Amino acid sequence: MDFDIREIRDYYDTEVQNYDYNELISLGISHDNADFMVSIGVPEEYNDFVFYGTDTIQKTLMEGVQFITIGHYACFGIHNSYGLYVKEGSDGLFTTSSLHEPQLYMLNKNVRTFFLFHLIKNEVAMKMRLQGEYTSYQYACELRRLFEQIDPAPMKDAESYWSHLVEDYETGL
């Protein structure tokens, strides 16, 4: 199954942030992440994720490393929101969680892959339902297979956001 990342915009429910490529680069965001943020676009909100405009993006030092806060994750029922960070000059997209050790961990290898995982999650479910093949377990197996092909690190980390999401489908939660 081929996925065209531009189709992720069909799933955006809010306005797309208006970023300037050069401004993102000057903030320390990698060329690949800046390119995605400008050419494909990042919504103000997506599911439980909030993405900041350039006026709110800020640098922060964590564990002795310079990161750039580009948003936060605020799942319903969680009292504290968790930041979304890119490492300055690097592609990785990171988040924090009090349930993860260490608390700061890589969510995806870049911003594009984060949104690609969401696109895959939506498209696979729709395809399986249309073909009458959907079960929570089969869906989880297909997500795991595709995610591991594209960005295996989040699936190897048993406590990561993506690993937990797939596990919830595997167990029927």
Side-chain angles (χ1 to χ4, degrees):
M1 188 172 194
D2 290 324
F3 301 96
D4 181 352
I5 191 60
R6 293 173 296 199
E7 292 178 15
I8 190 61
R9 291 179 66 116
D10 295 340
Y11 294 99
Y12 292 173
D13 287 336
T14 62
E15 293 295 316
V16 174
Q17 292 287 7
N18 186 20
Y19 296 116
D20 177 84
Y21 180 83
N22 292 324
E23 190 173 358
L24 293 175
I25 296 300
S26 72
L27 288 168
I29 293 175
S30 73
H31 290 279
D32 286 343
N33 284 336
D35 181 57
F36 178 85
M37 293 167 78
V38 171
S39 65
I40 302 300
V42 173
E44 293 172 1
E45 294 181 29
Y46 188 78
N47 293 336
D48 296 326
F49 297 91
V50 175
F51 293 89
Y52 302 154
T54 49
D55 59 329
T56 312
I57 290 174
Q58 60 186 349
K59 292 185 179 190
T60 185
L61 190 64
M62 292 188 299
E63 300 177 6
V65 178
Q66 191 73 35
F67 285 87
I68 303 157
T69 309
I70 63 166
H72 68 269
Y73 170 67
C75 183
F76 180 75
I78 294 178
H79 297 291
N80 298 324
S81 63
Y82 299 118
L84 288 173
Y85 312 95
V86 290
K87 189 185 285 186
E88 186 172 32
S90 177
D91 286 337
L93 178 64
F94 295 80
T95 191
T96 54
S97 172
S98 59
L99 305 174
H100 194 278
E101 188 57 44
Q103 286 190 339
L104 175 69
Y105 70 95
M106 187 179 287
L107 191 56
N108 283 104
K109 63 184 177 182
N110 55 34
V111 175
R112 175 183 297 272
T113 304
F114 171 79
F115 282 100
L116 181 58
F117 272 29
H118 280 284
L119 177 65
I120 289 168
K121 181 178 161 284
N122 293 327
E123 293 289 310
V124 167
M126 186 170 47
K127 179 183 175 205
M128 290 179 92
R129 284 187 172 109
L130 285 173
Q131 294 176 343
E133 299 173 351
Y134 182 90
T135 68
S136 183
Y137 182 77
Q138 286 178 297
Y139 175 59
C141 290
E142 183 64 4
L143 287 181
R144 182 175 299 281
R145 184 185 73 77
L146 292 168
F147 289 174
E148 286 175 347
Q149 285 178 1
I150 296 164
D151 188 3
M155 299 312 296
K156 289 179 182 173
D157 181 352
E159 298 303 318
S160 77
Y161 171 82
W162 292 110
S163 186
H164 274 286
L165 181 130
V166 170
E167 185 178 293
D168 286 351
Y169 284 108
E170 285 173 336
T171 60
L173 292 179

